[in-house]
Amino acid sequence: MEVMEVPADDVLLQRPWLPVSISGCQLLAKSWFGETAYRVLLTDMQGMWEERMDTADIQSRAQELNRRLRAPVKAFFSHLCEVVQPYLSGAAGRADREAQISLDRRDDGSVSLRLKSELEGLPFYWEFHCTPAPVALVCVQLVRPLLVMSRLLQRQVDQLGGLLVRKDAEIQDYRENGATLSRERLQTDAFVESMYREDFMAKTLPLLSSEHQDALGFDADLQQLYAAVVAHGNARKRKLSEEDDEPTTVVEEPPAVTSTPASGSVEPADRKPSHNGRGETSRAKMADRPAVQQPSVTSDPAERPTSKPKKKKVGLFR
């Protein structure tokens, strides 16, 4: 059995949402088609649906919908891609005239796209069974990129507002120095951000809140901005992942060599007392002589006698 062709999450994420209209329903769609596998995402801003299909699933559904079809997936999958991609990319005008597509909402919350076309003179049927997408997928594919886009556009608006204020100051300086406009129709009022924002909200919000067909659409500029935002996010994730995967080298320092102090001089053992008088006389003579200092002998640490181990105290005191 062939291995399923599943694109990496960032590959599908980099594909922008495209406005489509199927059976009068306004949707945003993004899709990926491999050699013998595909993935489809649909949303109407009230819900999101997805479908993932591999080679085995496509073969099984094709046999179910087309009883007479005996060809392998590679033989008819290219035809399926050519027929359905114009509908999922918002270019229905370039779709096959003989192809028909419809959308059905089911009671279980899923969405079904029914496609009918012609393959080698015979009818070819296909259905996309899109089930509700999990919340995590909605956040990754739609919510997070839209929030980043919103912050980015807000910063752009702030910078443009500051630029207009500086331009007004520049024009005022020209006027104070005697400059005049050659055409009165080019004269504009000074930019006041608070007044502009109120006027913009009053005029634009009703258009976005209406049922206008372009209210949910991503135009070319927004599609480009979406792709740039997710590409930057993926590059940042890869950089952090590479930094985490770098091995850390630990340099082992050699142990410090400490010198042991030399032991003290070893005194000779006392001689045994002699039992005769000669011994006592000789000791008396030796006592009258000056004492000769014995040279100190340093003992090797290995030759030192080991200290006796202390006995362990039993009980509460140890």
Side-chain angles (χ1 to χ4, degrees):
M1 185 176 66
E2 297 185 15
V3 180
M4 177 180 179
E5 300 177 19
V6 179
D9 292 338
D10 57 350
V11 174
L12 185 63
L13 182 61
Q14 291 178 3
R15 298 181 181 273
W17 290 95
L18 302 175
V20 299
S21 178
I22 302 176
S23 298
C25 183
Q26 306 301 323
L27 301 169
L28 294 178
K30 61 165 53 182
S31 59
W32 170 86
F33 288 87
E35 293 183 359
T36 56
Y38 69 80
R39 186 177 179 186
V40 175
L41 292 178
L42 299 173
T43 180
D44 60 355
M45 291 301 180
Q46 296 181 358
M48 182 180 291
W49 303 270
E50 69 162 341
E51 184 181 40
R52 306 185 186 197
M53 294 287 283
D54 61 4
T55 305
D57 295 332
I58 294 174
Q59 184 72 51
S60 176
R61 185 173 297 177
Q63 293 291 335
E64 179 183 351
L65 298 175
N66 305 273
R67 299 293 183 180
R68 300 174 59 183
L69 183 64
R70 295 294 182 267
V73 176
K74 289 184 178 180
F76 63 85
F77 189 74
S78 59
H79 169 76
L80 175 62
C81 296
E82 293 176 0
V83 173
V84 75
Q85 281 184 342
Y87 293 103
L88 296 180
S89 61
R94 299 197 303 267
D96 187 356
R97 295 181 179 180
E98 297 180 358
Q100 300 176 4
I101 190 170
S102 61
L103 184 144
D104 295 330
R105 297 178 182 268
R106 299 184 177 180
D107 296 336
D108 58 357
S110 61
V111 171
S112 177
L113 297 180
R114 302 177 185 273
L115 180 67
K116 179 182 179 181
S117 62
E118 185 175 330
L119 177 61
E120 295 185 356
L122 296 176
F124 178 79
Y125 300 94
W126 188 258
E127 293 182 3
F128 294 88
H129 299 164
C130 300
T131 57
V135 176
L137 180 63
V138 177
C139 293
V140 171
Q141 294 287 345
L142 189 61
V143 177
R144 291 179 184 174
L146 288 181
L147 290 176
V148 177
M149 291 170 61
S150 177
R151 292 197 300 267
L152 190 61
L153 291 175
Q154 182 60 46
R155 291 188 179 183
Q156 184 182 29
V157 169
D158 294 340
Q159 291 182 3
L160 291 176
L163 180 61
L164 288 175
V165 172
R166 293 194 298 272
K167 286 293 183 181
D168 287 340
E170 181 180 354
I171 294 173
Q172 183 63 27
D173 182 72
Y174 290 153
R175 290 177 178 175
E176 292 176 356
N177 286 277
T180 58
L181 286 174
S182 59
R183 301 174 185 175
E184 293 183 359
R185 62 183 179 84
L186 297 178
Q187 186 174 356
T188 57
D189 297 331
F191 175 75
V192 181
E193 184 177 358
S194 58
M195 295 178 59
Y196 170 79
R197 184 171 299 176
E198 292 177 0
D199 183 68
F200 177 81
M201 292 293 186
K203 293 180 179 179
T204 308
L205 276 179
L207 297 177
L208 295 179
S209 302
S210 65
E211 297 296 332
H212 196 269
Q213 61 179 0
D214 294 333
L216 300 180
F218 274 16
D219 59 11
D221 293 336
L222 289 179
Q223 293 172 18
Q224 184 178 3
L225 179 60
Y226 178 93
V229 166
V230 296
H232 177 75
N234 289 336
R236 184 172 178 271
K237 289 181 181 179
R238 285 194 297 268
K239 183 178 180 180
L240 294 176
S241 178
E242 291 174 359
E243 292 178 355
D244 294 340
D245 294 340
E246 289 182 358
T248 56
T249 57
V250 179
V251 180
E252 297 183 358
E253 297 181 356
V257 180
T258 58
S259 58
T260 57
S263 61
S265 59
V266 179
E267 296 181 359
D270 294 337
R271 297 180 181 179
K272 294 183 180 180
S274 176
H275 297 284
N276 51 20
R278 295 178 182 177
E280 294 177 358
T281 305
S282 61
R283 283 198 299 272
K285 292 180 179 180
M286 292 294 294
D288 295 337
R289 296 179 182 178
V292 179
Q293 186 176 2
Q294 298 292 335
S296 61
V297 180
T298 58
S299 60
D300 189 84
E303 297 177 359
R304 293 182 184 176
T306 58
S307 59
K308 296 181 180 180
K310 297 181 180 180
K311 296 182 179 180
K312 294 183 179 180
K313 297 181 180 180
V314 182
L316 297 177
F317 303 94
R318 297 179 182 274

